[in-house]
Amino acid sequence: MEEWINQLQRNGYKLTRPRRLLLEYLESMERPFTADELYHELSRSGIGRATVFRALKLFLELDILVRVHLEEGCQHYQASPGFPGDDHHHDRIICRSCGDIQLLDQCPMRDDVSTIAHRSGYRLQGHHLDLYGICSRCDQKTHGLDAEE
Amino acid sequence: MEEWINQLQRNGYKLTRPRRLLLEYLESMERPFTADELYHELSRSGIGRATVFRALKLFLELDILVRVHLEEGCQHYQASPGFPGDDHHHDRIICRSCGDIQLLDQCPMRDDVSTIAHRSGYRLQGHHLDLYGICSRCDQKTHGLDAEE
DNA sequence: TTCAAAAATGATACTTTGTATCAATTGGAG
DNA sequence: CTCCAATTGATACAAAGTATCATTTTTGAA
């Protein structure tokens, strides 16, 4: 939160009431959310739709937010896993059932990436790894339907 | 192409003129494209906008297409790298300058994935890895601006 | 072949997601 | 405190995608 506010001001953006409220919401939201959710939540405080979208865009640029990419589309956003300027490097594990997102603290790509870069002739800037599956909680729930009771 | 048509019919979908034209276009397009591009290209053959979107959705489900996820959004589609039913496993390396996409033939995640799954308690179903960088062609062009001429 | 049923299509209207415009407001440097 | 650029909210718009429905096509059986 403090970090985010610094990140804003360091880049010459003002800390306004709407932005503060948005950041507070971000901090409290662990799960991915849509722009619309965000708007409906904050419109009660008088924040306009345009402002929400403007802030989303800004926060993405400042690495305060990241998009959550699902096969259905990417209308979901989430507070950025790493701290700002984190080299655009997001490794996550996502539950297809409940939407839970775990961040991978240790990047599984460490050695491989440079090898790949070399072979492909690319100058790599970052990567984005999403693992998809079912979290243990959901897994148990599903099995419960058959086995239990 | 043959494979795609089988994939359609195997799942009980009809091979219609619009779908054939769409598949032909897909086959010829190596780069990612937007729905709008596709529509404008094919509207001359009398294919309607709704049909294009319907087909995109269907082709995604059938793994004939995949979305290309960029930080700006994911309005781009591309013919699926693997053959259908490929376990939802897409590893790519994408040029942020020209949009070129190389497919990684060998998955760099082989061992790591199972380790991660175990630690996280997830039952993994698939993953999606995008590496971002600048391809050698674009890299040379950029350097050319300074050095050359 | 022909034919009928189901699936698919194209036109249209609509929803959702996001952007541009612009007058009114506000944060924060001095 | 004051002022000015940055920001805001309202509104209108654009782009991306979906729902509806009457009409057309595909396909499989007679």
Side-chain angles (χ1 to χ4, degrees):
Chain A
M1 181 76 182
E2 275 309 304
E3 192 53 44
W4 291 340
I5 292 173
N6 288 343
Q7 174 71 349
L8 261 182
Q9 299 188 321
R10 208 181 309 137
N11 287 273
Y13 296 103
K14 290 180 176 174
L15 177 60
T16 61
R17 197 181 93 91
R19 282 176 187 164
R20 191 178 12 246
L21 289 173
L22 282 161
L23 289 178
E24 278 166 17
Y25 184 81
L26 286 195
E27 196 171 42
S28 72
M29 273 301 269
E30 270 307 303
R31 327 225 128 203
F33 51 85
T34 62
D36 211 51
E37 262 179 81
L38 195 52
Y39 171 55
H40 277 100
E41 189 62 30
L42 294 180
S43 59
R44 288 182 281 125
S45 314
I47 280 108
R49 224 174 70 88
T51 300
V52 169
F53 278 102
R54 275 187 290 236
L56 283 177
K57 203 178 176 191
L58 178 62
F59 293 173
L60 282 175
E61 272 165 27
L62 294 178
D63 277 320
I64 291 173
L65 280 183
V66 294
R67 282 179 193 275
V68 178
H69 298 268
L70 303 171
E71 235 7 80
E72 311 88 77
C74 50
Q75 284 78 43
H76 289 76
Y77 301 83
Q78 194 192 32
S80 179
F83 35 87
D86 196 19
D87 194 23
H88 303 282
H89 168 168
H90 308 302
D91 299 325
R92 307 180 291 199
I93 183 165
I94 301 168
C95 179
R96 277 184 163 139
S97 173
C98 68
D100 174 64
I101 296 197
Q102 299 285 323
L103 303 169
L104 299 181
D105 44 331
Q106 199 192 335
C107 170
M109 301 298 303
R110 23 173 217 296
D111 337 300
D112 303 296
V113 167
S114 56
T115 313
I116 292 162
H118 195 256
R119 271 211 299 260
S120 64
Y122 267 61
R123 183 157 55 81
L124 287 188
Q125 297 179 326
H127 67 268
H128 179 118
L129 168 67
D130 287 341
L131 302 175
Y132 294 98
I134 305 293
C135 72
S136 51
R137 202 147 29 93
C138 287
D139 212 17
Q140 277 160 15
K141 249 182 270 169
T142 314
H143 282 84
L145 290 180
D146 300 339
E148 186 193 318
E149 209 225 358
Chain B
M1 182 77 183
E2 275 309 305
E3 192 54 42
W4 290 341
I5 293 173
N6 287 344
Q7 175 70 348
L8 261 183
Q9 299 188 322
R10 207 181 310 137
N11 287 274
Y13 296 103
K14 291 179 177 175
L15 177 60
T16 60
R17 196 181 94 91
R19 283 175 185 165
R20 188 173 19 241
L21 289 173
L22 282 161
L23 289 178
E24 279 166 15
Y25 183 82
L26 285 195
E27 196 170 43
S28 73
M29 272 303 267
E30 270 306 304
R31 327 223 126 205
F33 50 85
T34 61
D36 210 52
E37 262 180 82
L38 194 54
Y39 170 54
H40 278 101
E41 188 63 30
L42 295 180
S43 59
R44 287 183 281 125
S45 313
I47 279 107
R49 223 174 73 87
T51 301
V52 169
F53 278 102
R54 275 187 290 238
L56 283 177
K57 203 177 175 190
L58 179 62
F59 292 173
L60 282 175
E61 272 166 26
L62 294 178
D63 276 321
I64 290 173
L65 279 183
V66 293
R67 282 179 194 276
V68 178
H69 298 269
L70 302 172
E71 234 10 76
E72 310 89 76
C74 49
Q75 284 77 45
H76 289 77
Y77 301 83
Q78 195 192 31
S80 180
F83 33 87
D86 195 17
D87 193 22
H88 304 282
H89 168 165
H90 307 302
D91 299 324
R92 308 180 291 199
I93 182 165
I94 301 169
C95 179
R96 278 185 162 138
S97 172
C98 68
D100 175 64
I101 296 197
Q102 300 284 323
L103 303 168
L104 299 181
D105 44 331
Q106 200 193 334
C107 171
M109 301 297 304
R110 33 182 205 289
D111 336 302
D112 303 295
V113 168
S114 54
T115 312
I116 293 163
H118 195 257
R119 271 209 299 261
S120 63
Y122 267 61
R123 185 158 52 81
L124 287 188
Q125 295 180 327
H127 66 266
H128 178 118
L129 168 67
D130 287 341
L131 302 176
Y132 294 97
I134 305 293
C135 72
S136 51
R137 203 146 30 93
C138 287
D139 212 17
Q140 277 160 16
K141 248 182 270 169
T142 315
H143 282 86
L145 291 181
D146 301 337
E148 189 195 316
E149 208 229 356

